[in-house]
Amino acid sequence: MIEKILDIEVKLFYFINHSRSPLLDTLLPYFSREGIIYGFYFLSLLLVGYLLYQRKKSDLRKLFVIIIFLLFGFLLSDFFCGKVWKPLFKRERPFAKLSKVYFYSEERIRFLEEPLTYKKTLSFPSCHSSNSGFASAFLSFLAPTLSLPLIVFAFLVGYSRIYLGHHYPLDVLGGYLWGLVLAILSYYLYKAFTKRFFKQ
């Protein structure tokens, strides 16, 4: 059963990775850049704070608490992804395991006839997907009206990791699930904290 699932996953990886277009080749690398990701969520955070303030559900103190929870969740997501889950599962990345992979590195896309066996980095789960999944879900819980662009952004981050040859689909899905778990925990902790220390 597991082998069949993994076989389907590899086929899905190839389908996404080989569905090339000049537009996606140009656009998707931006969704894998940490600076773009951090910038997007910083602007989203400001917009969430503004919306909550307009609805009289927040003030500067609560916005500061939101920032703390967002940063802490981001750090927790990244730490567990890179230092706990990846060493635990020990899955190699597709560009180091599979042949005929489009691989983005050093600002360019290459077609790899053979795996880069010398380049050993771990794959499951995707930290990009975990971090973006956490931030998008947490901010969506706070401001549901922003959920569509937040979810679309997180999807494009995850999709870019497959398209650029860095992750399998299950790596991305696993990252999203881990990010969602952290977002749910962070949101309820935030609600409990503000209920305890701030007037509602």
Side-chain angles (χ1 to χ4, degrees):
M1 181 64 178
I2 294 178
E3 289 183 1
K4 187 173 183 179
I5 291 173
L6 294 177
D7 182 60
I8 293 172
E9 181 199 23
V10 170
K11 290 178 181 177
L12 180 58
F13 168 81
Y14 275 122
F15 175 78
I16 295 172
N17 184 253
H18 283 219
S19 298
R20 315 305 298 184
S21 82
L23 177 61
L24 294 180
D25 286 351
T26 301
L27 186 63
L28 288 182
Y30 289 102
F31 289 93
S32 281
R33 293 182 179 175
E34 291 183 351
I36 298 294
I37 294 173
Y38 295 150
F40 174 81
Y41 287 117
F42 175 74
L43 293 176
S44 299
L45 176 64
L46 294 180
L47 188 54
V48 167
Y50 173 76
L51 291 175
L52 293 177
Y53 182 78
Q54 287 292 98
R55 297 169 190 165
K56 297 181 180 180
K57 292 184 178 180
S58 185
D59 55 34
L60 289 179
R61 295 176 305 161
K62 284 188 180 180
L63 181 57
F64 178 74
V65 173
I66 291 173
I67 293 172
I68 295 299
F69 272 83
L70 182 65
L71 289 176
F72 183 74
F74 227 107
L75 291 172
L76 199 62
S77 166
D78 197 65
F79 174 82
F80 267 84
C81 180
K83 302 299 183 182
V84 178
W85 304 133
K86 283 187 176 182
L88 178 65
F89 288 100
K90 291 184 172 63
R91 189 183 201 191
E92 290 183 290
R93 291 181 185 264
F95 63 76
K97 191 73 174 177
L98 303 176
S99 60
K100 302 186 184 306
V101 169
Y102 286 94
F103 174 61
Y104 181 84
S105 178
E106 299 174 349
E107 305 294 322
R108 65 189 181 96
I109 295 175
R110 293 179 285 163
F111 183 70
L112 306 177
E113 288 286 354
E114 299 297 332
L116 295 180
T117 54
Y118 67 89
K119 194 175 179 65
K120 298 291 186 181
T121 56
L122 299 176
S123 189
F124 183 90
S126 163
C127 293
H128 280 73
S129 301
S130 172
N131 297 342
S132 63
F134 161 76
S136 286
F138 180 66
L139 293 175
S140 293
F141 293 151
L142 293 168
T145 54
L146 297 178
S147 60
L148 181 59
L150 287 166
I151 291 170
V152 168
F153 183 84
F155 170 79
L156 289 173
V157 170
Y159 190 88
S160 75
R161 304 307 289 161
I162 306 170
Y163 187 87
L164 301 178
H166 286 259
H167 283 288
Y168 296 97
L170 286 180
D171 299 341
V172 172
L173 180 60
Y176 285 153
L177 291 175
W178 172 235
L180 179 60
V181 168
L182 284 178
I184 292 171
L185 290 174
S186 297
Y187 177 70
Y188 280 103
L189 286 173
Y190 164 78
K191 295 292 288 184
F193 183 88
T194 53
K195 185 176 181 180
R196 174 67 175 81
F197 293 101
F198 299 104
K199 291 182 179 181
Q200 298 298 304

